[in-house]
Amino acid sequence: MTSTHAFWLAGRQANGEAAFDVTSPWDGRLVGRVSVPTEEQVEEAVAAAHAVVDEFAATPAHVRAAALDHVSKRLVERTEEIAQLISAENGKPIKWARGEVGRAVSVFRFAAEEARRFNGGDAQRLDTDAGGQGRLALTRRFPKGVVLGIAPFNFPLNLCAHKIAPAIAVGAPIILKPAPATPLSGLILGELLAETELPAGSWSVLPVPNDQMPALVQDERLPVISFTGSDKVGYAIMDSVPRKHCTLELGGNGAAVVLADWASEEDLDWAATRIATFSNYQGGQSCISVQRVIADATVYDRLLPKIVAAVEAQVTGDPSDSATEVGPLVSEDAARRVESWVDEAVQGGAELLAGGKREGASYEPTVLTDVPADVTLACEEVFGPVLTVTKVDGEAEAFAAVNDSKYGLQAGVFTHDVQTAFRAHRALEVGGVIVGDVPSYRADQMPYGGAKQSGVGREGVRFAMDDYTYERVLVLTGLAL
């Protein structure tokens, strides 16, 4: 008999009246059963968070930092257990799940460090004009209020960490809603937070069904929303609450540009290996996975077979096997969608060079060329292990191809030329340009987010802390400056 996982309501465990099953996308086995909070319990969590806003904002930095350090250390101690849980509920290969736990360890450590540095204040003399004689402005940042964090399924631990850790660092209460497909990792964070001395109402982890989210989104006691997920849902949230502060980390269709100077065999082998790995890791279910390769005509014919060979060499299968690199998608429906997009592209004239077959929730690592510009695969985020390769003539055409998208999250540019790197930084309409590597590189302390329909605001611990707070100026008068 599988026990039911309680949720976390204002710092304590609680159970609702209903529950739902979490199953493995690999083999359909039951991973866990999760209790669902009632409307009354959700209201209790919101009221508790709202009531503790002032108290939590005034919590000494060392208390918040100690709590964050504690979670980081406990994640280290439970790494293998949590990695196996991620792999089971998400279908992520265990090698990538272990890496995800390691990243979450860093996120909480970074947040602890930032909590100790945060809000020292910036002093500004105002006597640069006669009217400011004897005046000094001191600017500090204060929490905007309770944060509603809405996390996705693809990084069920680390993207929950990116909601929770910055909020605690600035002293903002947070209500976290984990993804319905993968709630268990978020509930683990609740276990670890419950071991700290944070005020009870300062955090809750509520596996609320998606159809109950509009009421939470609209609640005026939750002035900050941090959402990671699809552009359709993200912008619907923003449109429904135009007076709230929304941070939206949305989709992408990441491009890797291989320019003419990246031409040695060693260069092309490296590019092909990185492209193959990061078009397929997490089953391609990453906002910055490689979906498009844009290769200069001078290297295209040598690069393409290397990419195909590297993709075909990806080890697929049971995500619990340490050798597996590509596991299933999060559900069979997700795999069927990917299958339909690839089929549409092939029927439209694309050439299939590798993959293209589905079995249950698994989809083969796939490579296509000559993809028509108007098919879904060319325009949308595939969120699956599918890669398109396009030939271009020169840098200008390559950069134009990157920008020919409604998305703009990150781009990778394979070049050795520093001037080209700076031109790419200026020209590409994305939130991040990764030189010498794929767009899939992300360090959890750097600013992360997109342009165009890839979202607004930035994650990355310190940058999320800025998003969760606002500047308030204090003017002191009559000082001998």
Side-chain angles (χ1 to χ4, degrees):
M1 184 72 177
T2 300
S3 61
T4 298
H5 294 262
F7 51 85
W8 294 91
L9 194 168
R12 72 177 193 279
Q13 284 190 308
N15 285 284
E17 299 170 355
F20 64 93
D21 292 340
V22 179
T23 58
S24 166
W26 170 245
D27 56 15
R29 67 184 172 88
L30 181 65
V31 179
R33 189 165 174 78
V34 175
S35 185
V36 179
T38 65
E39 290 183 8
E40 292 76 16
Q41 289 170 320
V42 172
E43 166 58 28
E44 182 181 348
V46 174
H50 183 66
V52 80
V53 164
D54 291 339
E55 176 190 350
F56 195 35
T59 302
H62 72 86
V63 173
R64 288 179 273 115
L68 293 161
D69 273 331
H70 175 82
V71 175
S72 180
K73 292 172 183 175
R74 292 286 284 137
L75 286 170
V76 172
E77 295 169 359
R78 297 178 64 177
T79 291
E80 188 61 24
E81 169 203 348
I82 297 171
Q84 290 182 15
L85 180 64
I86 292 170
S87 183
E89 70 172 342
N90 174 276
K92 181 175 299 192
I94 190 67
K95 65 177 288 185
W96 297 116
R98 290 173 181 138
E100 181 174 348
V101 179
R103 290 180 61 186
V105 168
S106 295
V107 167
F108 278 96
R109 186 182 75 250
F110 295 150
E113 295 166 356
E114 292 293 347
R116 294 184 174 97
R117 288 192 285 262
F118 181 69
N119 230 351
D122 293 322
Q124 181 183 15
R125 293 179 66 135
L126 301 180
D127 62 352
T128 50
D129 283 329
Q133 185 94 10
R135 296 180 187 266
L136 182 77
L138 180 66
T139 304
R140 297 164 61 200
R141 300 190 72 88
F142 294 86
K144 294 173 180 173
V146 184
V147 176
L148 173 60
I150 307 172
F153 70 80
N154 56 329
F155 289 87
L157 180 75
N158 195 41
L159 292 184
C160 287
H162 271 285
K163 309 299 181 192
I164 292 174
I168 292 173
V170 301
I174 181 165
I175 294 175
L176 176 75
K177 178 203 175 300
T182 56
L184 300 174
S185 302
L187 293 173
I188 285 282
L189 290 178
E191 289 183 32
L192 306 185
L193 287 169
E195 298 169 356
T196 72
E197 297 180 3
L198 295 175
S202 61
W203 60 272
S204 293
V205 182
L206 304 179
V208 179
N210 288 342
D211 60 6
Q212 294 184 22
M213 283 307 296
L216 267 178
V217 167
Q218 293 288 335
D219 197 307
E220 293 183 358
R221 294 168 294 179
L222 308 175
V224 180
I225 298 174
S226 178
F227 171 85
T228 302
S230 73
D231 56 328
K232 179 180 179 181
V233 175
Y235 285 116
I237 288 173
M238 177 177 278
D239 291 344
S240 73
V241 285
R243 290 179 176 80
K244 289 195 177 190
H245 178 89
C246 293
T247 297
L248 305 179
E249 198 282 282
L250 308 177
N253 54 4
V257 176
V258 184
L259 293 175
D261 70 304
W262 198 269
S264 72
E265 291 302 312
E266 183 180 5
D267 284 344
L268 296 179
D269 285 342
W270 163 258
T273 299
R274 297 293 285 177
I275 287 165
T277 298
F278 289 98
S279 64
N280 294 293
Y281 84 126
Q282 330 283 346
Q285 296 169 123
S286 168
C287 297
I288 46 176
S289 66
V290 186
Q291 182 171 332
R292 299 180 291 156
V293 175
I294 298 164
D296 190 90
T298 59
V299 298
Y300 178 90
D301 290 338
R302 294 163 55 215
L303 176 64
L304 182 58
K306 292 178 183 288
I307 290 174
V308 172
V311 167
E312 291 179 334
Q314 295 288 300
V315 179
T316 62
D318 186 345
S320 67
D321 187 336
S322 293
T324 298
E325 296 167 311
V326 186
L329 277 70
V330 73
S331 68
E332 187 166 346
D333 283 345
R336 287 185 184 277
R337 177 189 55 76
V338 173
E339 179 182 42
S340 70
W341 287 16
V342 172
D343 289 348
E344 177 200 15
V346 172
Q347 290 165 11
E351 182 179 1
L352 182 67
L353 300 182
K357 295 180 181 177
R358 179 186 64 83
E359 183 177 346
S362 296
Y363 195 81
E364 288 183 337
T366 297
V367 180
L368 303 102
T369 59
D370 301 321
V371 176
D374 59 347
V375 300
T376 309
L377 184 62
C379 304
E380 301 293 337
E381 179 182 37
V382 65
F383 227 58
V386 178
L387 180 67
T388 68
V389 187
T390 302
K391 182 192 298 185
V392 294
D393 290 317
E395 175 189 309
E397 188 173 326
F399 291 174
V402 174
N403 290 339
D404 186 19
S405 170
K406 66 181 180 179
Y407 297 112
L409 192 47
Q410 292 197 160
V413 180
F414 288 90
T415 182
H416 295 291
D417 189 297
V418 68
Q419 296 289 358
T420 301
F422 273 87
R423 286 195 298 271
H425 197 201
R426 182 174 61 247
L428 298 180
E429 299 166 353
V430 295
V433 178
I434 314 301
V435 176
D437 206 350
V438 291
S440 316
Y441 176 80
R442 178 184 180 183
D444 290 285
Q445 71 270 40
M446 77 182 195
Y448 176 75
K452 299 190 283 191
Q453 292 190 34
S454 285
V456 294
R458 291 294 181 267
E459 290 188 345
V461 175
R462 182 172 66 82
F463 304 92
M465 290 167 68
D466 286 346
D467 255 3
Y468 292 170
T469 57
Y470 70 99
E471 293 175 322
R472 186 187 299 166
V473 64
L474 173 72
V475 177
L476 301 175
T477 303
L479 301 180
L481 294 176

